[in-house]
Amino acid sequence: MIGFFIVALSIVLPLVHLAVTKRRAPGAHRAHPAALCAPHRVGVMGFLFGFIPHVFFPDEAAKAIGWSPSPFQFEVGVHDGAWGVLGFLCLWIGGLFWLATGLGWSLFMLGAAGGHVYQTVTAGNYAPYNFLMIFTDGFVALWLLLLLYLHYRCGGMRGQGES
């Protein structure tokens, strides 16, 4: 499933980045793995795996989640697409933009994971894109929050212009 591939990338890319930059740059620059996690997780997942399926293939997306098609899928798709754009913008803007994007996306994903838990418990919905998303959405949201915290602890995001 694509969610587990994204989880793996969320772990591997920042760790590889840390290993490579550890030799070259001390301090805050080593903690930039948040920059790798935000663009690929928020950008790719938000835009490619949220926006496109919900906006252009709503019946198939609803079926994979175990839901009936709904007009709200368009709104969810546009919401995911907006976050996707923010994730990709992290590549160019950096700094506190990572924090805002990471916090917002993580809170949204934790809320989505909670909704999937609720659907699993109350409706017995074990459809792959409902049940398995509990783990992928929840884990990557917490991982991104941890990376942002570590970046802050290493001296990143202290000033408005920091990138």
Side-chain angles (χ1 to χ4, degrees):
M1 174 177 190
I2 192 72
F4 290 114
F5 179 71
I6 296 298
V7 166
L9 285 179
S10 298
I11 296 168
V12 171
L13 288 177
L15 293 177
V16 167
H17 179 78
L18 251 178
V20 169
T21 59
K22 185 176 185 179
R23 293 184 211 117
R24 291 188 288 185
H29 297 289
R30 289 189 315 191
H32 273 36
L36 292 173
C37 190
H40 104 266
R41 171 63 175 148
V42 179
V44 171
M45 290 299 287
F47 193 75
L48 295 179
F49 300 112
F51 173 75
I52 291 173
H54 283 296
V55 171
F56 297 108
F57 307 102
D59 294 344
E60 293 84 357
K63 184 178 178 183
I65 301 169
W67 294 348
S68 298
S70 165
F72 287 111
Q73 285 178 260
F74 180 79
E75 292 177 25
V76 169
V78 171
H79 177 266
D80 285 342
W83 281 109
V85 169
L86 295 176
F88 289 125
L89 286 175
C90 286
L91 291 168
W92 293 280
I93 298 173
L96 292 176
F97 196 79
W98 292 349
L99 179 63
T101 301
L103 285 175
W105 179 257
S106 293
L107 292 174
F108 168 63
M109 291 282 75
L110 289 172
H116 292 302
V117 167
Y118 181 80
Q119 284 294 306
T120 300
V121 171
T122 62
N125 183 351
Y126 287 92
Y129 284 90
N130 184 66
F131 182 70
L132 296 177
M133 297 315 287
I134 294 168
F135 306 104
T136 58
D137 290 351
F139 174 80
V140 176
L142 294 173
W143 179 243
L144 178 56
L145 290 172
L146 175 65
L147 290 173
L148 290 169
Y149 173 74
L150 292 174
H151 182 62
Y152 171 77
R153 292 283 298 170
C154 291
M157 294 187 228
R158 304 269 169 144
Q160 294 286 68
E162 191 270 330
S163 59

